[in-house]
Every structure is written in structure tokens, then in C-alpha cells.
Amino acid sequence: REKYGLPPFDVSEKNVHILPPDLFKRAFNDSPALANHDPYQQIITANSEKLRYQDNRLSVASSLFHELEHLQGFVSLDARQKDDKIKRSTRRIGLAISESYAKSDEDEWYESFKGLNEAVVSELEQRYAEEVASASSDQTTQEELKWLNSEEALSLKKKAVENGNFSEDEILWISRDGKRWLSKPYRQHRRVLKYIVEQVSEDFSETIEEIYDRFFKSHFTGNILEIGKLIERTFGPGQFRVLGMMSANY
């Protein structure tokens, strides 16, 4: 946030709530996720059952860091008064757009860029989650990170993806016997983002990292027009709107 000229703020551990699985599912419409965030209350909630199942520290840290990035991103709310009560709805979360109450009244409500939003947040997650986990003073966490970066773990990762369609770099965690492993989230979304970044980079003669940085900046500042112009110039008029159709479940 400081890098992009925004005031930094901390999200306290008091804003992270571990819920029983039934309550978590009711709160988030049977979401299969390990954790979710609430932009209204600025909290992160996690499914206690999935936390217990994930018997590794890196995937838990990575998931919570992902939701933290959502909370640290741009947020805009829409509000209206009805029957002496104030109703509220999200208009923007990061790059994701939801239409206003006025448009909803006109039967023109829609959501856009949810998939792109997850791609950008997930890319940030992949870059910094291990750094976040490595800052822990917990000995078990440090031993796990040492194992995951060992030659033995790398060999097991390569073996795990022999018959797959992605590389060992997409494995977040693997057990010491190589029988269980977890892949990094939103792989397809990040592949789309990577392709876009590479094409825009070539067209604008900027480095790939500079183009990625433009997307990260938009997530935090809310200025989505900048990347929209880049995409329209590279891929043609109307293609930014097409990108907005990529859902978070793609």
C-alpha cells in the first residue's frame, strides 16, 4: 500500500475468526474454501474443519494471506435508505465490480472482473506467502519450509506431476512420502493473467514485472481504467469487457 501511495494499516488477529464448519458454510453459502473475507466488517473467517485437515502451516498461512490481500485492496460500498434502515452492498472489491442499487432497480445488475480479481490476488499470494510464513518463530513452520525447499521434496514434486498438465512449481505443499500434495489456487486464472501480461509487455516494450505491477497497483488503488486501456490497445476494442466475464469459478 505504501508503494502505491496509500496509507498502510494492520489487520489485527482479532479480525480473524475460526468458525465451526456448519456456521462457516451457512455464512458463506456452502463455500468449499478454507477461508473467506467480509469487506463490511473487515474480518477474515476460516473453516475450523479444513484448518484441522490441512496438517501443514504453509497452506494455512497462504490462505489467510490471500484473504488479507483482499482486505488490504480497494473497497467501495453502495448504500441506500429504505424503511428507516440503511442497506449496503459492495460496488468494488479490488478489481471486482458489482453494479449499484440504481442499476439493480433498472434490472441491469451485474458482476464483472471477479476472475481477474482472484488472479491478481492469487499472484500476490504466490509471491509473498512463503515470505510471510518464514517470518514465523514457530519451529514446526520453519522445519516444514526447510523440507519443502529441499532436493528430496523437489524430486517428489516432479514425480507427482509426471502425468499432469502443469509443472512442479504449482505444488504448494507435499507430504514427506509424496502421497499427498496440494496445488496452488486459481492456476487457470493466473495462466490467463500471465498470458495477458506477456502480450501487453511485448506490445508496450515494458518488462513483464512492470506490467504485473500495474495490475497490483490497480488492485490497491481501484484505478482499473489504466489496465483497461493497456488491454484494449493490445487485444482490441471490447476485449477488456470480455475479460470481465471470467468468473471466480472458471
Side-chain angles (χ1 to χ4, degrees):
R1 288 179 61 84
E2 288 181 313
K3 178 179 179 179
Y4 303 121
L6 300 171
F9 65 89
D10 291 330
V11 177
S12 167
E13 66 273 14
K14 294 180 180 180
N15 291 56
V16 180
H17 302 270
I18 300 174
L19 304 181
D22 291 343
L23 180 57
F24 182 88
K25 291 177 181 179
R26 288 205 308 272
F28 293 99
N29 299 318
D30 292 325
S31 170
L34 184 151
N36 273 310
H37 74 284
D38 184 333
Y40 301 113
Q41 301 181 73
Q42 288 287 288
I43 61 173
I44 295 171
T45 53
N47 185 328
S48 62
E49 184 177 55
K50 293 207 170 191
L51 283 179
R52 287 194 299 269
Y53 175 76
Q54 305 290 4
D55 57 352
N56 63 89
R57 308 302 176 91
L58 181 56
S59 66
V60 172
S62 187
S63 294
L64 294 179
F65 181 69
H66 180 101
E67 302 308 326
L68 177 64
E69 288 299 326
H70 279 304
L71 290 186
Q72 294 275 355
F74 181 80
V75 175
S76 173
L77 303 179
D78 192 16
R80 69 165 13 167
Q81 184 170 344
K82 186 175 182 180
D83 299 328
D84 297 326
K85 294 182 179 180
I86 300 295
K87 295 182 63 179
R88 58 186 180 178
S89 175
T90 57
R91 295 189 66 181
R92 289 280 305 280
I93 300 178
L95 299 177
I97 298 174
S98 299
E99 199 43 84
S100 64
Y101 279 119
K103 288 292 185 180
S104 181
D105 290 341
E106 297 171 7
D107 200 25
E108 295 181 7
W109 187 88
Y110 66 88
E111 291 182 315
S112 295
F113 300 106
K114 295 191 72 174
L116 178 62
N117 189 52
E118 292 295 353
V120 170
V121 171
S122 187
E123 183 65 30
L124 284 166
E125 174 190 352
Q126 307 319 314
R127 290 167 179 243
Y128 298 110
E130 186 168 336
E131 181 180 337
V132 170
S134 66
S136 172
S137 59
D138 176 64
Q139 185 62 33
T140 303
T141 301
Q142 295 300 326
E143 291 175 356
E144 179 182 300
L145 293 175
K146 183 178 179 180
W147 151 250
L148 291 173
N149 289 303
S150 69
E151 290 296 327
E152 184 180 357
L154 179 59
S155 178
L156 288 173
K157 289 179 181 180
K158 289 181 177 179
K159 185 177 180 180
V161 299
E162 282 179 351
N163 298 320
N165 60 350
F166 56 95
S167 72
E168 64 271 15
D169 292 337
E170 285 295 326
I171 294 182
L172 175 67
W173 173 87
I174 192 165
S175 64
R176 293 179 183 268
D177 59 8
K179 294 181 179 180
R180 293 185 300 125
W181 50 274
L182 297 171
S183 60
K184 296 176 181 179
Y186 295 106
R187 178 168 56 89
Q188 301 292 356
H189 296 73
R190 286 184 286 107
R191 286 181 62 186
V192 171
L193 177 61
K194 182 175 183 290
Y195 174 75
I196 290 171
V197 167
E198 290 174 346
Q199 296 301 308
V200 172
S201 170
E202 183 178 333
D203 191 47
F204 280 78
S205 298
E206 293 187 24
T207 68
I208 287 176
E209 285 306 307
E210 286 174 333
I211 301 301
Y212 265 120
D213 195 63
R214 289 176 180 262
F215 280 86
F216 299 153
K217 180 180 179 181
S218 294
H219 165 72
F220 289 107
T221 66
N223 182 4
I224 198 172
L225 294 180
E226 180 181 348
I227 60 174
K229 291 177 180 178
L230 296 177
I231 291 171
E232 296 271 314
R233 174 174 159 177
T234 300
F235 296 98
Q239 295 309 301
F240 189 50
R241 181 180 291 273
V242 172
L243 179 62
M245 297 168 65
M246 181 172 67
S247 75
N249 298 320
Y250 172 72

